[in-house]
Amino acid sequence: MTKRNTQQRRHAIAALVQEQGEVSVEELTRRFDTSEVTIRKDLALLETGGLLLRRYGGAVCLPSEMVAEVDAEQVSLRKQEIARAAAERIRDHNRVIIDSGTTTSAMIPLLGNKRGLVVMTNSLNVAGALRELENEPILLMTGGTWDPHSESFQGQVAEQVLRSYDFDQLFIGADGIDLDRGTTTFNELVGLSRVMAEVAREVIVMVESDKIGRRIPNLELPWDSIHTLVTDDALSDEARARILAKGVTLICAPSANLNARRK
């Protein structure tokens, strides 16, 4: 099955769910003449993209009351464009860390054509999405202490595991970007993020432009630990200039909101 045919099948599945409201794995297996394992991977990726909800034995279309929430959070168009721009920086056989978060998670479905990847993560959601890829990467988990606030593993055990490896790239989000200090977070557990940055040759921060300029008390990564910032093109000219002055590579993905104004 070629990549093109795979995408065509997934588009057809999404359209079928919208048309019928519900589909079964058994029905899809017969219709597309493929295995249940393949269909379940398709449904998992379509769910990650906010196109359906998986149910036992199949999938259903999104309830209307969830659509606004999904559009605003997990599958915002800006996050998708940022994820696309970030994923383009990953080469075959790279060793990468993908931190927890909705923006970093949006990158996972775009990695299906990457070969020989080794991916470390502290997120069960990221790990689950990676397992659904057709070209399944080698998956490493940090382990550690579960933090319900960030929905990820943290702590000394996770830090020790990370220090046992070296990586080409770290992909990490942020609650805010302080233009003077660096990335900021509401979470007081910042030790693991700093260790992630220490063991990666390139630190890539993925964040929407409306978070840039937020001054949140907890500093996560200072500017001298950040190599690349991927955001959207609604970023103000002033913010662009100040970020570039820090010596950081700035990538502004095309904004899906054509009416977005620069601040």
Side-chain angles (χ1 to χ4, degrees):
M1 179 68 69
T2 67
K3 179 184 174 184
R4 180 179 178 182
N5 287 340
T6 297
Q7 294 302 320
Q8 289 175 341
R9 185 183 65 247
R10 289 172 181 166
H11 285 310
I13 291 172
L16 194 62
V17 172
Q18 290 301 313
E19 178 184 339
Q20 298 183 182
E22 183 176 358
V23 295
S24 70
V25 171
E26 183 180 0
E27 173 191 356
L28 296 175
T29 299
R30 289 197 307 268
R31 179 183 288 264
F32 296 102
D33 191 24
T34 189
S35 69
E36 288 192 5
V37 172
T38 297
I39 292 298
R40 292 184 190 282
K41 286 185 177 183
D42 290 342
L43 296 179
L45 286 171
L46 290 169
E47 183 180 52
T48 300
L51 298 174
L52 52 77
L53 286 177
R54 283 186 292 172
R55 291 290 183 265
Y56 181 78
V60 297
C61 62
L62 287 175
S64 58
E65 63 269 19
M66 290 184 60
V67 172
E69 178 183 351
V70 171
D71 285 345
E73 293 295 337
Q74 286 93 338
V75 292
S76 79
L77 295 178
R78 283 188 179 181
K79 285 183 179 179
Q80 290 183 27
E81 294 304 324
I82 290 168
R84 191 177 308 281
E88 289 175 354
R89 300 187 66 81
I90 300 179
R91 298 180 178 179
D92 290 347
H93 307 290
N94 271 16
R95 298 164 60 89
V96 303
I97 308 171
I98 300 178
D99 192 22
S100 60
T102 56
T103 307
T104 50
S105 296
M107 185 171 62
I108 305 303
L110 305 172
L111 303 183
N113 63 340
K114 307 289 184 180
R115 299 187 179 277
L117 293 184
V118 176
V119 182
M120 171 77 81
T121 186
N122 62 335
S123 166
L124 291 178
N125 288 336
V126 170
L130 286 166
R131 289 295 307 275
E132 301 293 346
L133 294 177
E134 290 194 18
N135 290 334
E136 188 176 319
I138 295 174
L139 174 61
L140 306 174
M141 292 290 296
T142 63
T145 303
W146 181 254
D147 172 40
H149 176 81
S150 63
E151 295 189 343
S152 63
F153 291 103
Q154 303 285 338
Q156 292 184 357
V157 171
E159 293 173 16
Q160 291 171 2
V161 170
L162 276 165
R163 288 194 172 104
S164 301
Y165 297 87
D166 63 90
F167 297 89
D168 298 301
Q169 296 162 307
L170 161 65
F171 294 88
I172 188 169
D175 292 323
I177 299 287
D178 186 319
L179 291 170
D180 293 320
R181 298 188 300 158
T183 67
T184 55
T185 179
F186 294 110
N187 193 347
E188 295 183 356
L189 300 175
V190 297
L192 187 65
S193 298
R194 293 174 181 173
V195 174
M196 286 179 174
E198 289 173 12
V199 300
R201 295 182 180 88
E202 182 184 16
V203 176
I204 301 169
V205 175
M206 302 166 60
V207 65
E208 292 169 284
S209 61
D210 58 4
K211 292 183 178 181
I212 295 176
R214 286 186 182 178
R215 300 180 65 87
I216 299 170
N218 299 319
L219 176 66
E220 189 167 26
L221 296 179
W223 282 115
D224 59 11
S225 295
I226 301 168
H227 302 94
T228 304
L229 177 67
V230 184
T231 186
D232 57 74
D233 63 2
L235 185 66
S236 69
D237 291 335
E238 178 188 0
R240 288 173 189 252
R242 292 181 66 179
I243 292 168
L244 291 172
K246 299 292 185 181
V248 172
T249 298
L250 179 62
I251 299 172
C252 293
S255 177
N257 181 1
L258 299 179
N259 295 319
R261 294 182 178 180
R262 292 185 179 177
K263 300 177 183 178

